[in-house]
Every structure is written in structure tokens, then in C-alpha cells.
Amino acid sequence: MDNSSDALLPDEGLVRRWGLSGSAGPLPVLPAEFALEKQSFDFLRAEHGFSAMIEVNGRRVLFDTGVTADGLIGNLDRLGIAPDSFEAIVFSHGHFDHVMGLNGLAERVGRANLPVLLHPDFWLRRRIVSPDRTLELPTPSRSAIEGAGFAVVEDRQPSFLLDGMLLVTGEVDRTTPFETGMPPAHQALRDGVWQPDQVVHDDQAVVLHVRDRGLVVLTGCGHSGIVNIVRYAQRLTGVDRIHAILGGLHLRDGAIVPATVEALAAEAPGVLVPAHCTSWKAQQALAAGLPGAFRPNAVGSRFEL
């Protein structure tokens, strides 16, 4: 799941696309009364949310679940991916646009007893306060998730999945001066008091090491700052080379964009796939600053790294 759906994107090297021009999978059909053939093509849904499948040696982990109950499960069906084929679920953080699609998955697979890895701050109530209104964000329910049969695993520290092949970063160290997180309007309820929550401590990423190529870093929103995340992954693994960076970067506008582009260009990743919460301006800056690495994302894109 991602914010963009583009059925006309062609395959491009290591990227296989799903749609009219790609080879990632056949297009399903739906009944269509207004078509002479009484059927039409079905396409993947996009929504303001994120979800990715990680597959290593045939073993699968689900990273985030999107925002709507029918979004993730509907796209799994269209892609021909069995919902019960995942060994674990990792949540990047507790914002609703990465979590609430779990409902549709749970209804389909039943009590699967899947481990769900997350940071303890995942459960915080959060809101956004502006001069004219206060918007309280939907909060993940521990009782509902555990009641559905998922085994919650909380950790602030790094951990491993798939027999050590997949690293979950846990809480990311914040070291750059320009990645300052969310605006003060983003607040969390702590000890009964609403407080600014710029840092979003629960933001975590997953990391793989591809032999002879370097690290693959996958983010949900990148609230920790993508440069912080990359440098933290390097420190955790002892591997300096970056092969690919994929996922939401939470880059909007302002001085943070050129600073991020400069820092990522210095890392020279082979593949850069900004998604979800990366603004059009930031996408353009990243494409200009890292033209050889930049790849646009769309729902159903398969990156074979």
C-alpha cells in the first residue's frame, strides 16, 4: 500500500511493476455492466498509508498495514499473495495510517498467533493541535490486537527476525542537527498530560544486508529522519555501504530537504525509492540530487534487491 497507484509505469531493471505495462502480475477482471464484454480490469488501490511485503528466501514479513480495513487485504487479493503467508508483522510506529489495515487482515486469517513487533510508545494517544481545531488521531487498541490472537512483542532495542536475516532497528538515535521531527502541534498524552511529541520515539525501520551490495533500509514514515536511520543502521551492523533506501521519508519542504539530499547523496545508495509521506517537492529534489538511484514508487511495485 502506498499513496500512489500508476498502472502505466513500466518495468525498470530491478523494479517490476504491476499494471498495464509491467510484468509483476496479471490484471484481474471485474463484472462491468457498461462494457460490451460485461467485464473490466481491476486495479490496485492507493491510500494515504503504507505497507510492504519483505520476502527473503521465500520467507515473508509484513511491514505496516495501511489505513483502511479493506485496503491491504484487497491489494493482497489482487496481487495473489496469501494473507496467511507472513511469519511476523513489524509496525514502524503507531500512527493510524500504518496500523488500521490490520483489522481486515485479522478478519481474513482469524487467530493466526502472529508475532507483532513494535515499540512501547506505539500505544500512545496522539493529536494535532492547530489554531482552529484539535484533531485526535485514532489510537491502536492493545486489547483488540491481542484479542484477535496477535502476539505483541514490545522492544525499544534492536531485534532480529528470520533467523537473523532481518534487523528491526528499535528506537533510532537522533544525531543530525537538521532532522527535528514533527512540529510541536503534534502531541502525545503522557501521564495524563498532553505534551509535544516531535520526536515520535516509536519510529523504527527494518534493515537487510545484501551480500556484496550493502544495506537495504525500509522505513514507514521516517519520523526519526532518514539520515539518522541510515547512520544508525550502519552503526548497528558495522556495514557502511548502502544499497537501497525505500519507504516514507516524511520530507515536506524547507531547509531539511536540501540537507537530506546532500547527506543521502554522500552515502551513494544504488536505489532510492521515496514513498508515502514524501512531498512532491522533496521527490523532485531527491530525483535531481540522486538521478541514478531514484525510482518512483507505486502500489504493487516489486523491488528485487
Side-chain angles (χ1 to χ4, degrees):
M1 181 58 70
D2 195 12
N3 295 39
S4 173
S5 180
D6 189 339
L8 298 179
L9 280 177
D11 291 350
E12 185 181 2
L14 54 78
V15 191
R16 296 176 61 201
R17 306 290 188 179
W18 192 93
L20 294 168
S21 303
S23 64
L27 292 175
V29 296
L30 290 175
E33 188 62 30
F34 289 173
L36 287 174
E37 300 81 6
K38 301 304 179 184
Q39 64 183 24
S40 182
F41 292 123
D42 190 16
F43 289 100
L44 293 170
R45 302 296 191 266
E47 63 187 30
H48 185 86
F50 190 74
S51 180
M53 179 181 75
I54 304 163
E55 186 170 19
V56 187
N57 297 339
R59 301 173 67 183
R60 292 173 172 174
V61 169
L62 184 63
F63 183 66
D64 287 348
T65 59
V67 64
T68 62
D70 59 349
L72 168 65
I73 194 67
N75 280 351
L76 287 174
D77 288 344
R78 294 179 181 95
L79 291 165
I81 297 171
D84 60 357
S85 63
F86 300 104
E87 294 187 27
I89 299 171
V90 178
F91 280 119
S92 63
H93 63 303
H95 281 159
F96 68 100
D97 49 330
H98 297 255
V99 176
M100 296 305 163
L102 185 63
N103 182 76
L105 183 71
E107 290 180 352
R108 176 69 65 83
V109 302
R111 297 186 64 85
N113 297 315
L114 273 180
V116 176
L117 281 71
L118 50 86
H119 184 284
D121 284 1
F122 177 87
W123 311 108
L124 285 175
R125 288 178 59 190
R126 287 175 162 129
R127 69 182 187 180
I128 298 175
V129 179
S130 63
D132 58 339
R133 66 169 179 161
T134 296
L135 176 66
E136 187 158 348
L137 306 180
T139 306
S141 167
R142 177 192 286 272
S143 62
I145 291 174
E146 292 181 335
F150 295 103
V152 172
V153 181
E154 293 186 6
D155 208 336
R156 298 178 185 273
Q157 301 302 316
S159 58
F160 286 100
L161 286 170
L162 305 182
D163 299 324
M165 291 186 291
L166 182 67
L167 170 67
V168 182
T169 64
E171 191 170 315
V172 175
D173 286 348
R174 314 303 171 94
T175 57
T176 64
F178 55 87
E179 292 174 314
T180 56
M182 297 282 281
H186 182 262
Q187 300 179 354
L189 188 65
R190 296 178 183 273
D191 300 323
V193 178
W194 287 102
Q195 302 173 6
D197 183 36
Q198 295 172 261
V199 179
V200 191
H201 283 297
D202 48 318
D203 181 79
Q204 57 184 4
V206 292
V207 182
L208 286 160
H209 183 204
V210 179
R211 183 183 299 143
D212 300 325
R213 296 190 181 183
L215 300 180
V216 175
V217 179
L218 176 64
T219 72
C221 258
H223 289 298
S224 303
I226 188 57
V227 181
N228 280 331
I229 294 169
V230 166
R231 292 176 180 174
Y232 189 56
Q234 291 168 324
R235 289 199 299 277
L236 288 177
T237 62
V239 178
D240 289 332
R241 187 177 178 186
I242 302 297
H243 179 43
I245 300 168
L246 309 93
L249 307 185
H250 217 273
L251 285 177
R252 310 307 301 164
D253 201 356
I256 187 175
V257 173
T260 300
V261 172
E262 181 180 3
L264 291 183
E267 298 292 348
V271 180
L272 175 63
V273 186
H276 181 42
C277 49
T278 313
S279 72
W280 183 87
K281 283 186 177 181
Q283 294 256 2
Q284 295 300 305
L286 289 163
L290 293 89
F294 179 87
R295 299 288 186 278
N297 195 41
V299 178
S301 296
R302 181 181 179 94
F303 298 88
E304 299 180 351
L305 302 167

